[in-house]
Amino acid sequence: MLRFLRRRLLISIPTIIGVTIVVFITIKIIPGSPVAELAGLNSTAAQRAALTQRLGLNSPLPVQYFDWIWSTVRGNFGTSITQQTAVRPLVFSALSNTLILAGAGAVVAFVGGGFLGLWGGLRHRKTDGKVATGISALFVAAPQYTVALVLLVVFTVNNTLFPSGGMYNATGGGGLPTLLDHLVLPAIAVGLAPMGVIARIFRSSLIDVMNQEFVTSLRARGLSRRTVLRHAVHNTLPSLFTVAGLQIGFLLGGALFVEILFTWPGLGQLVYQSVTARDYPTIEACSLVLAIAFVLLNVVIDTGHALVDPRVRR
């Protein structure tokens, strides 16, 4: 197992390097100049030239890239143009908030998807099973930002059941209960579409497994329905881990859009503010940290896949 994990981590290194190149090139082709933002509108040409030299922007692009990578490896993400403070604490604070939202969305997706998939798979010939399948298809088709807007209108504008945004109350305090209260609507908005995908994959896998010969053999031995179902569900786990890895990116990407609508102080909100303000160091750091988090989460999913399916380790 350690050999598999080591190999998977080594494979992730070229992916991360490729991500750094894409992020660097993207920042360079964005219209605008960080020098103009830092120096201000009233700066002279000499001041802008001195700042360009101090930031190393007059160096060739390969030199700028390796300087940026070297600074990033040492934990120096630069200084925010808009907030004039170190980027690293800003990014990691926002990342923790994004992971909270994505984790809550994952709970919604896997619990709800597992329930709908089990219901639709075991009763696929019944009317209620077809209803479950239809619900999962509806969730797949619903864009996350549309779901977020509907939830805001229904549960905060028309009925003040949940807060409209933020992580805590404006007055501060409240602790975990307040956080959970603010988390309900964003988590549902993030997790609804992945829930539909997971439900449909789980339903199809369960129907396929239940029709296999080993299930017939287990029933012929007189095993209880619960025991047979446990064996069947265990054989659907590899496909669930596969779809889980695909949905991680969807959860993180969806969380970024939902954060803006719910003013959730995560990476999405920080990237949106940084893009509008041309805060290039913060944009670079957010993009890179988010990509690395996505790669590492996929490594975790692949490791779990290997644990339940020994064939993957070979």
Side-chain angles (χ1 to χ4, degrees):
M1 189 63 204
L2 290 177
R3 182 182 178 186
F4 170 83
L5 181 59
R6 185 168 57 249
R7 186 171 66 248
R8 189 64 184 82
L9 288 172
L10 288 174
I11 293 173
S12 301
I13 293 175
T15 304
I16 295 175
I17 293 174
V19 166
T20 62
I21 295 173
V22 171
V23 170
F24 179 79
I25 294 175
T26 302
I27 294 300
K28 291 301 177 184
I29 63 177
I30 291 178
S33 170
V35 173
E37 297 291 340
L38 281 172
L41 296 176
N42 298 323
S43 61
T44 64
Q47 290 173 330
R48 289 195 294 270
L51 184 57
T52 300
Q53 184 174 1
R54 182 166 65 85
L55 295 176
L57 297 178
N58 57 345
S59 303
L61 289 181
V63 175
Q64 293 184 40
Y65 170 76
F66 285 110
D67 286 343
W68 172 57
I69 292 297
W70 178 239
S71 299
T72 302
V73 169
R74 291 182 297 166
N76 180 15
F77 291 165
T79 302
S80 170
I81 294 175
T82 56
Q83 303 189 39
Q84 288 299 300
T85 185
V87 171
R88 185 174 65 176
L90 293 175
V91 171
F92 281 104
S93 175
L95 175 64
S96 63
N97 296 335
T98 294
L99 291 178
I100 290 173
L101 177 56
V107 171
V108 171
F110 282 97
V111 174
F115 175 75
L116 282 176
L118 186 65
W119 181 14
L122 294 180
R123 301 181 61 83
H124 61 280
R125 292 189 177 91
K126 305 292 184 179
T127 302
D128 55 344
K130 295 178 181 178
V131 169
T133 303
I135 293 174
S136 63
L138 177 63
F139 289 166
V140 172
Q144 289 169 309
Y145 53 86
T146 302
V147 173
L149 288 173
V150 170
L151 292 175
L152 281 171
V153 171
V154 173
F155 293 104
T156 65
V157 177
N158 296 337
N159 303 283
T160 55
L161 299 177
F162 294 100
S164 61
M167 285 184 67
Y168 298 98
N169 296 330
T171 55
L176 183 61
T178 302
L179 173 62
L180 294 177
D181 192 34
H182 285 74
L183 190 58
V184 170
L185 295 184
I188 293 174
V190 169
L192 216 58
M195 180 199 297
V197 175
I198 291 169
R200 293 179 67 82
I201 296 296
F202 186 27
R203 173 187 177 276
S204 300
S205 299
L206 187 60
I207 292 174
D208 181 60
V209 170
M210 293 295 287
N211 290 326
Q212 292 183 10
E213 293 182 357
F214 83 94
V215 174
T216 304
S217 176
L218 293 176
R219 288 170 174 164
R221 295 176 185 176
L223 296 180
S224 65
R225 178 179 174 83
R226 178 176 297 180
T227 303
V228 173
L229 181 60
R230 187 174 68 249
H231 284 282
V233 169
H234 183 270
N235 279 270
T236 64
L237 290 181
S239 60
L240 286 180
F241 271 105
T242 300
V243 73
L246 296 174
Q247 294 307 304
I248 284 178
F250 196 84
L251 278 169
L252 288 175
L256 300 185
F257 288 106
V258 171
E259 283 174 2
I260 298 171
L261 291 174
F262 284 97
T263 61
W264 186 268
L267 281 178
Q269 187 76 2
L270 184 60
V271 168
Y272 174 73
Q273 295 170 352
S274 301
V275 169
T276 54
R278 298 296 192 273
D279 193 343
Y280 298 108
T282 306
I283 298 172
E284 286 180 332
C286 288
S287 303
L288 184 59
V289 168
L290 186 62
I292 293 175
F294 172 73
V295 170
L296 293 180
L297 286 172
N298 268 282
V299 170
V300 173
I301 292 294
D302 289 345
T303 304
H305 192 176
L307 286 173
V308 300
D309 189 354
R311 295 173 298 179
V312 175
R313 296 198 292 268
R314 295 194 293 267

